[in-house]
Amino acid sequence: MPFQQTPPQLGNQYEDDRVLRSYLARVLPADMLREIEVSLAEMGRLAGGELYELQLADRLNEPRLTQWDAWGNRIDKIELTPLWRVAEGIAVEHGVVATAYEQKHGSLSRVHQCALAYLFTPSTDIYSCPLAMTDGAARTLLGSGNQALIDRAVPHLITRVAGQFWTAGQWMTELTGGSDVGLTETVARQDPESGAYRLYGRKWFTSAISSQMALTLARPERNPPGGRGLALFYVETRDATGRPRNVEVNRLKDKLGTRKVPTAELTLNGTPAQLVKGTTDGIRNIAPLLNITRLWNGISAVALMRRGVALASDYSRKRIAFGVALSEKPLHMDTLAGLEAEAEAAFHLAFYVAELTGRSETGEISNDDAALLRLLTPIMKLTTAKQAVAVASEVLECFGGAGYVEDTGLPMLLRDSQVLPIWEGTTNVLAVDTLRALNEDSLRVFQSAVTKLAGNFPPALDHATSWYTRISDRSVLEAGARRFALTLGRTIELALLLNHARSSGDQQSMVNARRFAALGVDLIIDDYPQQ
Ligand SMILES: Cc1cc2nc3c(=O)[nH]c(=O)nc-3n(C[C@H](O)[C@H](O)[C@H](O)COP(=O)(O)OP(=O)(O)OC[C@H]3O[C@@H](n4cnc5c(N)ncnc54)[C@H](O)[C@@H]3O)c2cc1C
């Protein structure tokens, strides 16, 4: 009989996940873990079973835009793929957004929700994107003090009732810039009589355009240029009959990855909109949304890494080369061990930020931890995103040629990971933001957190601190900001990994910590030649 290769398989993605389980056993009270484990095991079963099968079967389906109906009416109808329709139902039923707001377990509800999102994400082709923005919109509206909008939208965003669920978009990027949103050209015109606003402009990247509402930035007429002159607006995208409310979908983007996410270019042509919080400071007011979507970005990064490692590990036991399974080849196993170490280190950082986020939401956070959260959010997002791309690339190589072939479903891991360092702030933009968040206080808090977790003051932190305090030239500081932020990110990842290994007694975590340290934490270059 000719040779037939067995494809990689997945088991229950909760039960098989040593890192997630040993982390939850450490941070959650035993009775809470017992209570939520049912929901996690069910999500793990779906993610490794039906959803994974559907994902593979649905691979070639993509969202479709129909701009006109047969009678010449502009309808801009978006048809989602079967996988996404199923994903929405599961997300709503299992409370992948709602869990964070129901607060059944206080601040740890955020950890529960992130664990659900982590299990759900790799089998649902970035349906995490609309969920992240929905979560961010709920957080932003709740913090805005705008009771009318809270009453109108939040119940839809956090519901567990199918048919009542809304997703939210986040329309910030324009042709003038996604990083430099202060250049936003969209204008908000106010009707002198009713006081109502309408928006006019173009939005260049708007993901999940199938959403029922969006938060967006526009400049009320006569406001000054720059970021301060922008206001945050709430938009409902369609009227009661389903027709677009003066929002034209010009086209869907033809993208490298995230192919199931309908990302559109829009023209706002008198779109009715409501102010969320004042007529200025839109960028500041949308920050809560970005903090949540950056957390989701990190959770997605570790989820995709975990999926890649799970598939490659399973395959290593099935693929025979030179007479033995790859799992018997020391070099192949060394390669996999490096991936596992990167993935576990990233996991602990993303979930640490989830813990801090949860505490900030319930008001149980100290000033020091609030400063730490502000600093860690960009650091976590940029560090885990870069790791995800590197890990996904290596995972594909672990499959040899099969990793490069589309109908294995593997290349998607790399393409989808590649968006993680780009959206929600590029690596450089977040590295510059790290400098912004850094001051005497936050540096002290970071140093003491790392020292406590690691049990010593790590040499990489010493090097990064002395570089940062020595450089007075702003352009030199900016030039090194990415290496600096990544060094802080990898330093705290190692500290978290060591802390987890010691407090949980998980021997594999200690092995991973040693390997992660050996892979390199300190990326600072002291005297880099300037241009
Ligand atoms: C699939 C996808 C979906 C998206 N969905 C949305 C969405 O739903 N809503 C939305 O608002 N946006 C969305 N975006 C847009 C995304 O947020 C932007 O593309 C991103 O913020 C970068 O902005 P830009 O494309 O204008 O690049 P630019 O800002 O032009 O950046 C170009 C390069 O310059 C670098 N750079 C910029 N500023 C600095 C600096 N100060 N120092 C050093 N380097 C710098 C960047 O790191 C980057 O490498 C999406 C993008 C993609 C790819």
Side-chain angles (χ1 to χ4, degrees):
M1 206 171 123
F3 174 76
Q4 187 65 49
Q5 181 60 48
T6 314
Q9 280 162 330
L10 296 173
N12 183 310
Q13 289 302 281
Y14 173 69
E15 286 166 7
D16 290 354
D17 194 329
R18 174 193 61 80
V19 177
L20 175 64
R21 295 185 69 179
S22 98
Y23 164 77
L24 292 177
R26 176 172 64 80
V27 300
L28 302 184
D31 54 346
M32 173 180 170
L33 180 56
R34 251 194 317 279
E35 194 184 320
I36 70 167
E37 215 161 24
V38 181
S39 70
L40 297 174
E42 174 58 9
M43 189 61 89
R45 186 188 68 74
L46 287 166
E50 289 150 49
L51 264 178
Y52 180 51
E53 278 162 35
L54 179 57
Q55 180 184 40
L56 292 175
D58 197 56
R59 190 177 58 84
L60 294 177
N61 289 324
E62 296 195 351
R64 278 216 311 261
L65 165 66
T66 306
Q67 286 172 311
W68 305 95
D69 75 5
W71 308 102
N73 297 304
R74 185 87 195 218
I75 52 168
D76 289 342
K77 188 174 154 214
I78 312 280
E79 224 174 303
L80 297 175
T81 58
L83 176 69
W84 261 43
R85 290 200 296 270
V86 170
E88 174 167 315
I90 290 173
V92 175
E93 185 191 336
H94 290 258
V96 180
V97 174
T99 302
Y101 295 89
E102 292 162 350
Q103 297 268 314
K104 280 200 189 134
H105 303 283
S107 69
L108 289 170
S109 302
R110 190 47 92 177
V111 172
H112 179 194
Q113 180 230 6
C114 284
L116 285 169
Y118 165 84
L119 292 166
F120 171 85
T121 293
S123 297
T124 46
D125 283 24
I126 315 295
Y127 190 73
S128 52
C129 165
L131 293 182
M133 295 188 293
T134 301
D135 189 348
R139 173 56 50 222
T140 306
L141 290 175
L142 284 168
S144 70
N146 188 327
Q147 201 54 48
L149 289 184
I150 294 172
D151 293 344
R152 167 84 185 146
V154 173
H156 291 289
L157 302 176
I158 64 172
T159 184
R160 280 185 190 247
V161 181
Q164 293 187 11
F165 183 59
W166 286 4
T167 58
Q170 153 202 344
W171 303 347
M172 294 176 71
T173 304
E174 300 197 356
L175 260 167
T176 44
S179 309
D180 192 0
V181 280
L183 295 177
T184 293
E185 291 180 324
T186 297
V187 172
R189 291 198 189 120
Q190 191 175 24
D191 184 297
E193 277 161 29
S194 67
Y197 282 93
R198 285 179 182 273
L199 308 186
Y200 297 84
R202 277 170 84 190
K203 296 289 173 183
W204 189 235
F205 273 94
T206 58
S207 282
I209 190 57
S210 45
S211 292
Q212 288 81 356
M213 62 151 284
L215 294 180
T216 189
L217 298 175
R219 195 177 312 281
E221 284 182 302
R222 290 180 291 282
N223 267 21
R228 269 220 69 207
L230 295 172
L232 176 59
F233 284 93
Y234 166 90
V235 168
E236 284 183 18
T237 52
R238 292 182 184 260
D239 65 20
T241 67
R243 284 190 190 285
R245 297 175 85 210
N246 301 352
V247 179
E248 286 175 6
V249 181
N250 301 328
R251 65 171 185 149
L252 297 184
K253 300 274 196 196
D254 184 7
K255 296 168 291 176
L256 170 71
T258 69
R259 302 278 309 184
K260 291 219 175 9
V261 182
T263 303
E265 296 167 15
L266 301 181
T267 298
L268 309 183
N269 199 5
T271 310
Q274 287 169 260
L275 283 170
V276 174
K277 192 179 178 184
T279 54
T280 58
D281 295 305
I283 296 179
R284 195 170 68 202
N285 293 332
I286 206 169
L289 188 154
L290 297 179
N291 290 336
I292 294 292
T293 52
R294 285 171 184 166
L295 171 61
W296 273 82
N297 208 86
I299 298 294
S300 301
V302 295
L304 292 178
M305 282 188 257
R306 153 73 192 155
R307 172 57 53 89
V309 171
L311 290 168
S313 302
D314 185 69
Y315 192 66
S316 74
R317 292 186 285 274
K318 294 180 168 150
R319 179 70 174 168
I320 308 291
F322 302 97
V324 291
L326 288 174
S327 56
E328 303 289 318
K329 290 285 178 199
L331 179 53
H332 191 76
M333 294 319 282
D334 185 86
T335 308
L336 279 181
L339 301 182
E340 206 193 307
E342 287 290 327
E344 180 166 0
F347 175 98
H348 289 294
L349 179 54
F351 275 85
Y352 186 55
V353 171
E355 288 171 48
L356 292 171
T357 302
R359 299 222 302 275
S360 81
E361 290 173 317
T362 54
E364 296 163 67
I365 195 162
S366 64
N367 288 343
D368 275 2
D369 278 351
L372 188 61
L373 175 60
R374 165 68 186 93
L375 180 63
L376 280 186
T377 299
I379 289 176
M380 179 277 295
K381 192 277 188 183
L382 73 88
T383 307
T384 56
K386 281 296 188 198
Q387 288 172 296
V389 178
V391 166
S393 171
E394 196 65 72
V395 160
L396 263 50
E397 193 176 330
C398 286
F399 286 87
Y404 206 68
V405 171
E406 289 291 353
D407 55 3
T408 60
L410 294 164
M412 193 173 61
L413 276 175
L414 179 58
R415 284 201 299 264
D416 286 355
S417 296
Q418 184 62 68
V419 83
L420 298 171
I422 295 177
W423 65 14
E424 309 306 347
T426 62
T427 309
N428 282 0
V429 164
L430 292 177
V432 173
D433 188 49
T434 302
L435 293 183
R436 209 175 295 127
L438 208 63
N439 52 43
E440 237 173 69
D441 254 3
S442 58
L443 183 58
R444 172 188 54 77
V445 171
F446 183 85
Q447 288 171 333
S448 88
V450 168
T451 308
K452 204 166 143 206
L453 290 162
N456 64 12
F457 194 85
L461 183 54
D462 190 38
H463 192 192
T465 307
S466 71
W467 177 84
Y468 173 73
T469 43
R470 182 165 43 88
I471 304 294
S472 52
D473 181 334
R474 175 72 199 179
S475 66
V476 178
L477 204 58
E478 264 192 36
R482 174 197 280 237
R483 287 185 290 274
F484 175 67
L486 282 167
T487 301
L488 297 188
R490 292 182 72 81
T491 299
I492 193 158
E493 284 187 352
L494 176 57
L496 286 160
L497 197 42
L498 283 167
N499 174 60
H500 178 71
R502 286 186 193 123
S503 11
S504 67
D506 189 325
Q507 290 307 311
Q508 187 57 45
S509 294
M510 189 52 86
V511 171
N512 286 346
R514 286 204 201 98
R515 184 172 283 267
F516 185 73
L519 286 170
V521 169
D522 183 355
L523 306 178
I524 302 283
I525 298 175
D526 285 301
D527 296 308
Y528 205 75
Q530 296 300 303
Q531 292 300 324

